[in-house]
């Protein structure tokens, strides 16, 4: 698939995904307009379903509204607030380490560059891209398993892992497509082009897709 075709696919998918639920991190930004809360939501949502994380955030944000609140709260109390989220003990530990890391490395301010955000506890490249893109509305490409898999299925890329996919997308996509890539493709991957047995027979973009690596579909 070439870039011209991918643009047509994105146009189709913008319509297709417009009725689907807004992903958790975007929803957090819409509701709070606060990059700190976006950072917290992205750390908590790692390897956890949005539907679970979404139930945790309101009670957490009642108690933790600022970086200062994170400084004051006890780790055990944080653990209770975010339970039963996946890896809740580790995530509570990362959140507790956040104020110190921000103070020591960035004068207490959340950085807006991916290479700096990844230096924060509990933050990988995927999370950092999401914070920059959603929290600060700056060009970044968050590549999760959906983006990695689907870009390869389309035949737009031939990459082995999400990091390689991110680097290739940064080269091949114009910047004005970076931020929408995650939003559109993740929703599409959750509901249509699912990781195992994608729903190709009802797919709105099947006429463009090369279905690379798809062995089994519905
Ligand atoms: S045709 Fe199948 S593999 Fe291609 S995008 Fe659609 S669901 Fe995914």
């Amino acid at each position: 698939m070439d870039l011209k075709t991918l643009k047509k696919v994105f146009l189709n998918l913008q319509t297709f995904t417009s009725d689907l639920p807004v992903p958790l991190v975007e929803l957090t930004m819409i509701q709070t307009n606060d990059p700190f809360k976006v950072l917290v939501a992205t750390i908590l949502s790692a390897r956890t379903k949005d539907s679970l994380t979404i139930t945790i955030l309101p009670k957490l944000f009642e108690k933790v509204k600022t970086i200062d609140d994170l400084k004051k709260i006890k780790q055990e109390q944080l653990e209770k607030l975010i339970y039963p989220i996946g890896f809740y003990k580790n995530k509570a530990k990362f959140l507790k380490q956040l104020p110190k890391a921000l103070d020591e490395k960035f004068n207490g301010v959340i950085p807006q560059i991916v290479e700096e955000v990844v230096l924060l506890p509990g933050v990988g490249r995927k999370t950092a891209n999401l914070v920059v893109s959603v929290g600060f509305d700056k060009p970044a490409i968050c590549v999760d398993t959906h983006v990695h898999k689907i870009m390869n299925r389309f035949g737009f890329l031939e990459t082995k892992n999400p990091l390689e996919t991110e680097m290739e997308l940064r080269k091949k996509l114009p910047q004005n497509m970076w931020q929408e890539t995650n939003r559109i493709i993740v929703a599409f991957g959750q509901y249509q082009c699912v990781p195992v047995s994608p729903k190709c027979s009802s797919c709105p973009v099947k006429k463009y897709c090369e279905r690379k690596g798809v062995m089994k579909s519905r």
Side-chain angles (χ1 to χ4, degrees):
M1 181 184 291
D2 59 16
L3 181 59
K4 199 169 153 209
T5 311
L6 186 73
K7 285 182 179 173
K8 282 187 206 154
V9 166
F10 269 38
L11 269 181
N12 271 273
L13 294 185
Q14 270 164 359
T15 314
F16 177 82
T17 56
S18 62
D19 289 336
L20 298 177
V22 179
L24 171 85
V25 174
E26 262 100 13
L27 189 66
T28 305
M29 188 59 188
I30 292 166
Q31 289 174 340
T32 69
N33 197 28
D34 182 351
F36 166 69
K37 294 197 175 95
V38 169
L39 174 59
V40 172
T42 41
I43 290 173
L44 292 183
S45 65
R47 290 188 280 172
T48 302
K49 284 204 156 91
D50 275 9
S51 52
L52 173 60
T53 313
I54 220 159
T55 62
I56 302 293
L57 291 180
K59 61 176 181 163
L60 175 67
F61 290 150
E62 242 176 60
K63 296 259 188 270
V64 178
K65 295 183 171 62
T66 63
I67 296 169
D68 240 26
D69 292 339
L70 260 189
K71 263 185 208 164
K72 289 176 202 148
I73 196 165
K74 289 218 172 359
Q75 186 164 324
E76 299 70 41
Q77 199 184 348
L78 256 183
E79 285 176 9
K80 278 189 192 139
L81 280 169
I82 65 174
Y83 181 84
I85 231 164
F87 309 96
Y88 70 97
K89 278 185 186 272
N90 273 345
K91 288 175 182 173
K93 189 175 78 189
F94 291 143
L95 289 179
K96 265 310 280 175
Q97 292 168 345
L98 201 53
K100 190 163 175 259
L102 283 171
D103 278 345
E104 285 177 0
K105 295 185 171 94
F106 305 109
N107 272 333
V109 178
I110 300 171
Q112 303 188 18
I113 300 168
V114 172
E115 286 66 27
E116 293 184 347
V117 184
V118 286
L119 301 177
L120 297 173
V123 175
R125 209 156 166 104
K126 186 179 87 168
T127 307
N129 270 292
L130 204 53
V131 169
V132 171
S133 165
V134 178
F136 295 109
D137 195 21
K138 295 198 163 174
I141 308 178
C142 173
V143 175
D144 71 343
T145 56
H146 293 296
V147 176
H148 170 61
K149 212 176 246 294
I150 293 171
M151 285 295 174
N152 277 278
R153 282 177 177 170
F154 283 165
F156 184 67
L157 298 178
E158 218 178 305
T159 49
K160 293 185 185 60
N161 54 56
L163 179 63
E164 208 185 312
T165 298
E166 186 199 327
M167 295 309 154
E168 281 301 301
L169 289 177
R170 281 175 179 266
K171 279 189 227 154
K172 292 181 78 170
L173 287 183
Q175 268 201 7
N176 63 6
M177 290 176 74
W178 288 15
Q179 284 164 267
E180 67 181 339
T181 298
N182 180 269
R183 184 175 43 78
I184 292 174
I185 300 293
V186 170
F188 182 56
Q190 283 171 343
Y191 293 92
Q192 185 84 33
C193 191
V194 292
V196 179
S197 191
K199 302 170 189 171
C200 298
S201 59
S202 61
C203 178
V205 295
K206 71 173 170 220
K207 69 175 172 185
Y208 303 113
C209 179
E210 294 172 24
R211 300 180 70 239
K212 289 262 177 78
V214 176
M215 313 297 269
K216 200 174 115 197
S217 65
R218 289 177 261 176

